[in-house]
Amino acid sequence: MKVLLAATVASLAFAAAASAQTVGFSQIGSESGWRAAETTLTKQQAEERGIDLKFSDAQQKQENQIAAIRAFVAQGVDAILLAPVVATGWDSALEEAKESDIPVILLDRQIDASDNLYMTAVGADSVHEGEVAGGWLVDTVDGKDCNVVELQGTTGSSVAIERKEGFEKAIADHPNVKIIRSQTGDFTRSGGKEVMESFIQAENGGENICALFAHNDDMAVGAIQAIKEAGLQPGKDILTVSIDGVPDYFKAMANGEANATVELTPNMAGPAFDALEAYWADGTMPQKFIQTDSKIYTQADDPEGEYERRKGLGY
Ligand code: AHR
């Protein structure tokens, strides 16, 4: 029976491989430079591999993503890539994909659902990202008191929940480092700027703030603008640490206006398409989580060079 099932899976996979494969991609939107780069790279990767990519921009709304998944299922695509805006509420749509034998791969964020509903997830360990950011700050302040303001990502997204958890874990045994304010900036530059302005106003014109932890670089770039407009020096009066590694943040580091970022590769599609191609070739199933690296960059890591290397990559 098992042999028969394996043979059927392999022949179905081979049938998909024989013609050009169609993959639906439900993207969150374009809230950040990082996401724009992920979209660009996914389209490039699909083209290079001869995959017909059906792209759907959800404009930050889960209901649009669910409608896109259902449309992809109705079209009979060979696979679906999903970057889930929030962690919950995916079961019914993903069950429909499963019933139609359409493999789903999660990109860059996780969901709260059974892992039977997707083939694999490609992304960073977001708790670890937060820990790396927090660890950098703990080491940098070296025992001095440091009041931190936190700009959270989109409420309910796995990455916002986990980056916060990781950062809190890193500072837990260091009572000198305290989060004094924390609010969402929705992963956008404008959100980061607006919320940072309110933090500065509430904290004695920013005098009480020692450091900013932003869940992504775009919010940090917005916050850096707010710090400058308040007459303070970002990178000196207020230290900054965030996540992504976008060119504008490297530029800010090169100018001494930002301190550290934990890189998240925007190339989630490469490993996802590799997994699909192996599956289509002979039914090989990937592991459930394909983890990308989380390297920290500081002002000592040639930020000008990093800016130059990244600026044409679609950020
Ligand atoms: O899910 C990844 C996060 O989403 C990136 O850090 C952020 O920039 C994006 O919008």
Side-chain angles (χ1 to χ4, degrees), residues 196 206 209-212 227 232-240 259:
M196 191 67 196
I209 304 171
C210 149
L212 162 72
I227 296 168
L232 297 169
Q233 281 189 290
K236 295 189 181 70
D237 298 327
I238 297 181
L239 303 174
T240 74
N259 301 92

Side-chain angles (χ1 to χ4, degrees), residues 159-175:
V159 279
I161 297 164
E162 293 171 3
R163 287 171 181 173
K164 179 169 186 54
E165 183 188 329
F167 188 88
E168 286 174 352
K169 218 163 138 187
I171 64 171
D173 292 335
H174 304 274

Side-chain angles (χ1 to χ4, degrees), residues 26-29 56-70 82-94 110-112 154-156:
S26 171
Q27 177 58 294
I28 292 171
S56 173
D57 178 339
Q59 305 193 335
Q60 259 66 42
K61 293 197 175 68
Q62 184 181 33
E63 69 219 55
N64 292 344
Q65 293 202 282
I66 289 173
I69 294 169
R70 294 202 162 118
L82 168 66
V85 61
V86 290
T88 55
W90 299 101
D91 297 64
S92 322
L94 295 188
Q110 298 280 352
I111 58 173
D112 288 343
T154 300
T155 306

Side-chain angles (χ1 to χ4, degrees), residues 31-32 34-35 108-109 159 163 187 215-216 244 264:
E31 73 280 6
S32 65
W34 184 90
R35 190 145 310 277
D108 72 84
R109 296 188 188 180
V159 279
R163 287 171 181 173
F187 281 132
H215 289 192
N216 81 346
D244 274 356
L264 177 68

Side-chain angles (χ1 to χ4, degrees), residues 60-207:
Q60 259 66 42
K61 293 197 175 68
Q62 184 181 33
E63 69 219 55
N64 292 344
Q65 293 202 282
I66 289 173
I69 294 169
R70 294 202 162 118
F72 293 147
V73 171
Q75 288 163 37
V77 296
D78 297 304
I80 294 173
L81 303 182
L82 168 66
V85 61
V86 290
T88 55
W90 299 101
D91 297 64
S92 322
L94 295 188
E95 269 155 20
E96 288 165 34
K98 192 178 171 70
E99 276 158 22
S100 299
D101 292 320
I102 299 174
V104 172
I105 297 190
L106 305 179
L107 297 189
D108 72 84
R109 296 188 188 180
Q110 298 280 352
I111 58 173
D112 288 343
S114 161
D115 67 6
N116 289 331
L117 293 177
Y118 56 89
M119 176 186 255
T120 185
V122 184
D125 174 341
S126 307
V127 175
H128 178 62
E129 290 177 316
E131 276 184 285
V132 172
W136 172 84
L137 185 62
V138 165
D139 291 347
T140 301
V141 299
D142 194 23
K144 291 192 197 77
D145 285 344
C146 184
N147 287 337
V148 182
V149 293
E150 178 184 30
L151 285 168
Q152 295 181 37
T154 300
T155 306
S157 65
S158 64
V159 279
I161 297 164
E162 293 171 3
R163 287 171 181 173
K164 179 169 186 54
E165 183 188 329
F167 188 88
E168 286 174 352
K169 218 163 138 187
I171 64 171
D173 292 335
H174 304 274
N176 57 309
V177 180
K178 273 192 218 78
I179 298 177
I180 55 165
R181 290 188 183 267
S182 181
Q183 205 177 306
T184 181
D186 209 14
F187 281 132
T188 66
R189 231 170 246 219
S190 57
K193 180 166 188 282
E194 200 179 306
V195 177
M196 191 67 196
E197 282 165 358
S198 72
F199 287 162
I200 290 170
Q201 204 179 11
E203 293 299 339
N204 192 24
E207 293 297 321

